[in-house]
Amino acid sequence: MKFLKTTVWALVICLSFQQCAKKTEEQKEETPAGEAAASREIWTKEQAKEWYAKQGWLVGADFLPSTAINQLEMFQEASFDTATIDKELGWAQEIGMNTMRVYLHDLLFQQDSAGFVKRLDVFLNIAQKHKIKPLFVLFDSCWDPFPKLGTQRAPKPGVHNSGWVQSPGFDALKDSTQYPRLERYVKGTVAAFANDNRVLAWDVWNEPDNTNNSSYGKVELPNKVDYVLPMMTKAFEWARSMNPSQPLTAGVWAGDWTSHETLKPIEKVMIDQSDVVTFHNYEDAADFEKRIKQLQQYDRPIICTEYMSRGNGSFFSGSLPIAKKYNVGAINWGLVDGKSQTIYPWDSWKKTYTKEPDLWFHDIFRKDGSPYKKDETDLIKKLTAAK
């Protein structure tokens, strides 16, 4: 009898352990790898300034290798061109650049999360070799709202960013059943590099309220901003829940920034949720400086994550010295002329260009590594070398 009781108790204990183990495994499956026990707070102004002081003056470009037309072609396994990335980041290093703004995509994580993270790791190793710390962009509301995995279409001759795609696209943005997938993408990607000093920062959403009226406006999601605003707010929460050691941000890009009260609702979220303030400016030097002064009211580090559109009056010679004067980070659009064709202006969606424009709109280098304008690369070198 005693033996029977002992056996029964042993079985009960064994089954209890099995149930505990099963629950633990289930919890692991439900919780993205690396999820922090508690979300960190938005950085204080002091924390943000302490981080910024360690970075040095940040100068770089929005980077896409010349052999890729968009984010998908850059990072899908079949077209991940490490040789070109290495070569072109080497040119950036030679002129003193120390950061690159790089766009990711939710479909890459859905397609092959482990492979995607592995390729990001490879990319970061290449960037580190060239003393460059990338700023990763998680979501983007610009250009084609219908992204598709696989082989990407060829560029339309003479058209600016003819193959760039949004993340999330039209279908995912309007479909709330896909939001858990988008949450896994944000949490999984940030968690993988949350304590990685090769990563500069996380740009949560590029130009979230851009409705692309000059290109895809007629096929955009109606009331797009009504979907984006709550999703972007959630995306900040998802990213912050991974307790990243890097700052989170989303850059204001169009509107009245005179005071916090003059901001649009979506801009208020962008500013209020950002650890460091970022902005875009494609206007002349006077406007660039005016925008910096407006954003100084938040008393946080400032980085311009898009500028320099020659045809619009935005030049390195105008904006870059001002950025240095105010210790504002400066990331221009475009490094090397390539499949994105951003040497052509925005109006190439309406106007036909049959040859290379005399005045490039964006980009610094030709495909052979020679500068479009040597006086520009000389200026960048001079300003980045000066302490």
Side-chain angles (χ1 to χ4, degrees):
M1 190 70 175
K2 186 176 180 182
F3 172 76
L4 182 60
K5 284 182 179 179
T6 304
T7 304
V8 170
W9 276 111
L11 285 169
V12 169
I13 292 167
C14 183
L15 287 170
S16 296
F17 276 124
Q18 285 179 344
Q19 286 299 317
C20 286
K22 185 178 179 184
K23 282 184 180 179
T24 301
E25 287 303 312
E26 287 172 352
Q27 287 169 351
K28 282 181 181 177
E29 288 176 9
E30 290 169 5
T31 305
E35 182 162 353
S39 301
R40 72 161 171 82
E41 298 296 318
I42 298 168
W43 282 356
T44 63
K45 294 173 183 178
E46 291 70 30
Q47 286 174 308
K49 290 174 184 177
E50 183 183 356
W51 170 84
Y52 195 62
K54 296 174 183 175
Q55 307 309 315
W57 185 41
L58 296 167
V59 179
D62 284 77
F63 177 67
L64 185 71
S66 61
T67 51
I69 195 170
N70 59 26
Q71 321 91 302
L72 298 176
E73 192 162 44
M74 179 175 180
F75 282 113
Q76 284 186 129
E77 183 178 13
S79 49
F80 183 48
D81 186 354
T82 55
T84 298
I85 290 169
D86 184 29
K87 177 177 65 178
E88 294 179 355
L89 291 186
W91 299 339
Q93 181 185 14
E94 287 172 5
I95 59 173
M97 288 185 163
N98 56 8
T99 187
M100 290 285 134
R101 186 165 175 252
V102 177
Y103 287 74
L104 311 181
H105 203 288
D106 62 276
L107 292 181
L108 293 163
F109 191 88
Q110 180 187 31
Q111 178 187 48
D112 174 16
S113 59
F116 173 54
V117 168
K118 183 179 178 181
R119 287 187 288 280
L120 284 183
D121 182 65
V122 170
F123 173 78
L124 286 169
N125 281 335
I126 297 170
Q128 184 180 44
K129 168 186 167 184
H130 295 293
K131 298 180 173 59
I132 287 170
K133 292 178 72 169
L135 183 163
F136 285 136
V137 184
L138 294 168
F139 290 124
D140 180 15
S141 285
C142 293
W143 306 107
D144 189 345
F146 302 102
K148 291 180 177 61
L149 290 164
T151 303
Q152 300 301 293
R153 63 176 178 263
K156 294 178 183 176
V159 178
H160 177 111
N161 257 333
S162 65
W164 196 271
V165 290
Q166 295 185 35
S167 172
F170 180 111
D171 296 323
L173 194 56
K174 73 172 185 177
D175 181 4
S176 61
T177 66
Q178 294 201 44
Y179 292 3
R181 173 181 72 77
L182 299 174
E183 179 179 359
R184 288 193 295 274
Y185 156 63
V186 172
K187 288 184 173 181
T189 304
V190 174
F193 303 100
N195 293 297
D196 195 323
N197 61 14
R198 296 173 298 171
V199 176
L200 179 72
W202 301 96
D203 193 334
V204 173
W205 205 305
N206 179 64
E207 300 191 357
D209 52 338
N210 195 328
T211 52
N212 303 290
N213 293 332
S214 63
S215 52
Y216 294 93
K218 292 180 180 179
V219 295
E220 274 279 22
L221 181 64
N223 304 316
K224 178 179 175 181
V225 177
D226 293 339
Y227 291 87
V228 172
L229 178 52
M231 172 66 76
M232 184 185 71
T233 305
K234 282 288 187 186
F236 267 105
E237 293 172 6
W238 296 336
R240 192 165 278 115
S241 74
M242 298 297 96
N243 199 19
S245 59
Q246 311 93 348
L248 305 180
T249 191
V252 289
W253 65 285
D256 183 355
W257 311 341
T258 307
S259 70
H260 199 263
E261 288 66 39
T262 61
L263 298 178
K264 294 173 284 188
I266 200 164
E267 290 173 328
K268 288 180 179 178
V269 173
M270 295 162 79
I271 291 288
D272 292 345
Q273 290 291 319
S274 289
D275 298 311
V276 297
V277 172
T278 54
F279 75 103
H280 297 174
N281 183 271
Y282 286 118
E283 307 301 325
D284 62 20
D287 191 77
F288 185 81
E289 186 167 23
K290 181 187 82 172
R291 292 298 199 169
I292 290 172
K293 289 181 176 179
Q294 288 175 335
L295 294 174
Q296 284 178 328
Q297 66 185 291
Y298 300 105
D299 194 25
R300 288 177 178 270
I302 301 171
I303 304 170
C304 179
T305 51
E306 288 187 29
Y307 78 103
M308 209 288 291
S309 49
R310 299 178 186 90
N312 213 46
S314 176
F315 296 93
F316 287 114
S317 59
S319 299
L320 200 55
I322 292 169
K324 188 170 180 65
K325 173 185 173 182
Y326 290 98
N327 192 27
V328 167
I331 301 175
N332 72 279
W333 189 276
L335 185 67
V336 182
D337 171 32
K339 290 174 77 172
S340 66
Q341 299 182 153
T342 52
I343 64 169
Y344 295 94
W346 296 319
D347 71 5
S348 58
W349 282 85
K350 308 287 185 184
K351 179 181 174 183
T352 301
Y353 287 81
T354 57
K355 64 181 183 66
E356 175 186 310
D358 293 331
L359 185 67
W360 281 17
F361 201 69
H362 297 314
D363 300 319
I364 300 171
F365 293 103
R366 297 184 182 277
K367 295 181 187 70
D368 64 1
S370 61
Y372 163 63
K373 286 184 178 291
K374 189 173 182 297
D375 61 332
E376 291 180 341
T377 53
D378 287 346
L379 174 68
I380 296 168
K381 266 186 179 179
K382 179 182 175 182
L383 290 174
T384 54
K387 300 300 180 186

